[in-house]
Amino acid sequence: MKTKKDETNGISLRIPAVNYSILATSSVTSAAMAFVVALLPVSMFAKIAFLGVFLGILFCLIYALYRNDVEAKGKNFEEVEDESKASLGREAAVDGLEILDEAGKFFSASLRSDDMFRLIASRIDGIIPHKHIVLFTVEDGELLNPAHAAGESSREFTKLLTGKYHGIAGDAFQNDNPILVKDISKDRKSFGKILTECNASVAVPLKQGMEIFGVLALYGIDYSENDKNLLKSVGERVSPMIVSSFSFEQNIANSMTDALTKLPNERAFYVVLENQIAEAQRFQEGRPLTILTIDIRDFADFNRRFGHSTGDNLLAFAAGVISGELRKMDFLCRSMNDEFWVVLPTASEKITRKIVQRIETAFAEKAFALDQTDKFYAQMNFGSATFLRDGESTNHLLQKALLRKRQTKSRDESSVIMFPREYVN
């Protein structure tokens, strides 16, 4: 068998070759017969007729031998075309795996998990077609959570699952091997109508070292053992990519989190406040924005009396109390020492005053336990600044709020937020 390349589409087709021994024998026989006919003592017309009949018989004989040769090898054009398509599919899969390798080299340490999953899902679609692809993450050692999904109605995957999941991803997790199923009824119990057009599924466990951290599941019309093996190769490539995206997210979170109180830090505060200022600028007076600065009254003296370890515990206690009195949309961070900063989106002066009063009341009612018998009631100092009225930039608002807090402390007044005199009057 020889391979001939079809110049029109670049696909390599395997075409059965003619038996060259037949051609050689036919050529010699034709030459000898032509010589013999030329020597015959007959007219030129008779010679031509005789030679034509001979060549016709010879052609039919060659064609019959050629067909027998093709049939003996069990090949016909349709089979050759099917084989070429399968070969093309294998080449596409290999190219897709190579693209995954390249993506892992360039993006593994610079994408969040949701962005990484979208990248992986788009690449896998060129390797194993699917209607849905879901990344299940392992939680509490055995629970599987559909953390990311792509495809039609992909967002519904994370909304419909309730309780413990028992579908194909669970089987792949328990068996620690790729799984292929032609009956996805167990998954339909969890995901319902989303899988209406799907009849089969393949899943592969994802590992970091020897530990399974997730399962990648594909849902589609039909899958084969070859698809399962392909997904195994895919899983080996995407596992380190997903792990690195989790690490990248964790590093970002750590860089924006205060280790003591577990609150966001100054860096996160500036990011959030700048975004909120941009929104406030769009709507101006229709979307008020206020920030609060808060610290613990006489905190330095508290540290001297009870020690820095107890002071750290007081800071964690204060973070919890303040957070509990804020609205869901509000953003609280710890700056440094005993400083807490708050972003209050859509908060007018009236709403801000109510929030401050709630915080003051909470500290008056909730005591910090120094030991089993002694308690300490902390008091807070507050300062505020409102967008447009006090400034239009992050630094202007923050400086104004800190100034008002210092004014409150220097006047030795009760812990009351400082507003301009015209608003108080």
Side-chain angles (χ1 to χ4, degrees), residues 322-375:
I322 296 171
S323 179
E325 301 306 321
L326 298 176
R327 303 168 303 170
K328 289 184 178 180
M329 70 181 73
D330 299 333
F331 179 84
L332 171 66
C333 86
R334 182 195 175 199
S335 172
M336 61 179 65
N337 299 325
D338 60 330
E339 285 272 356
F340 296 94
W341 297 347
V342 188
V343 179
L344 303 173
T346 72
S348 61
E349 286 87 351
K350 182 178 179 180
I351 294 175
T352 302
R353 187 177 291 279
K354 288 182 178 181
I355 292 173
V356 171
Q357 289 173 348
R358 288 205 304 265
I359 295 173
E360 288 185 312
T361 300
F363 277 105
E365 296 175 349
K366 299 176 182 179
F368 171 69
L370 294 169
D371 51 38
Q372 294 182 349
T373 57
D374 294 331
K375 297 179 180 180

Side-chain angles (χ1 to χ4, degrees), residues 279-323:
E279 287 296 306
Q281 286 174 334
R282 288 177 57 195
F283 300 100
Q284 297 292 319
E285 298 292 343
R287 195 180 190 280
L289 172 65
T290 301
I291 67 169
L292 283 177
T293 57
I294 309 170
D295 66 22
I296 301 173
R297 180 171 298 183
D298 300 324
F299 181 68
D301 182 61
F302 181 92
N303 269 339
R304 284 192 296 269
R305 291 175 58 194
F306 301 105
H308 289 279
S309 177
T310 305
D312 289 344
N313 292 336
L314 177 60
L315 288 172
F317 169 80
V321 173
I322 296 171
S323 179

Side-chain angles (χ1 to χ4, degrees), residues 74 77 163 258:
F77 186 77
D258 174 58

Side-chain angles (χ1 to χ4, degrees), residues 73-196:
K73 290 180 171 62
K75 296 288 185 180
N76 54 45
F77 186 77
E78 288 76 13
E79 291 173 333
V80 170
E81 188 175 32
D82 290 342
E83 186 175 309
S84 68
K85 289 179 179 179
S87 176
L88 183 63
R90 289 191 295 270
E91 291 177 5
V94 171
D95 290 342
L97 292 175
E98 290 178 351
I99 291 174
L100 273 178
D101 289 334
E102 292 298 318
K105 292 177 183 177
F106 287 104
F107 299 110
S108 62
S110 59
L111 292 180
R112 295 177 181 269
S113 61
D114 52 350
D115 295 326
M116 179 63 76
F117 178 77
R118 283 194 292 270
L119 173 65
I120 289 172
S122 66
R123 298 298 184 265
I124 292 178
D125 191 44
I127 303 173
I128 309 174
H130 55 270
K131 287 187 173 294
H132 306 284
I133 177 171
V134 184
L135 172 62
F136 295 84
T137 55
V138 179
E139 298 181 0
D140 298 328
E142 61 175 357
L143 297 178
L144 291 175
N145 173 48
H148 300 289
E152 302 170 5
S153 304
S154 59
R155 293 183 179 179
E156 298 299 318
F157 276 95
T158 58
K159 296 179 181 179
L160 294 180
L161 184 61
T162 57
K164 192 172 182 180
Y165 167 76
H166 294 284
I168 183 175
D171 294 338
F173 174 69
Q174 294 295 333
N175 295 326
D176 191 9
N177 273 309
I179 296 290
L180 164 65
V181 296
K182 300 289 186 178
D183 178 8
I184 59 171
S185 56
K186 290 197 298 183
D187 285 83
R188 285 200 177 101
K189 290 181 181 179
S190 297
F191 301 119
K193 295 181 180 179
I194 300 180
L195 300 177
T196 299

Side-chain angles (χ1 to χ4, degrees), residues 18-19 22-23 25-27 30 55-68:
V18 178
N19 192 319
I22 296 176
L23 291 178
T25 303
S26 301
S27 300
S30 299
L55 291 176
I57 295 172
L58 183 62
F59 175 79
C60 292
L61 177 62
I62 292 173
Y63 180 75
L65 291 173
Y66 170 74
R67 293 297 302 172
N68 288 336

Side-chain angles (χ1 to χ4, degrees), residues 400-417:
K400 181 65 74 171
L402 290 171
L403 173 62
R404 288 181 174 149
K405 181 164 63 68
R406 286 195 297 271
Q407 290 172 342
T408 302
K409 295 166 69 174
S410 64
R411 293 176 184 177
D412 194 28
E413 298 174 352
S414 60
S415 179
V416 177
I417 188 170

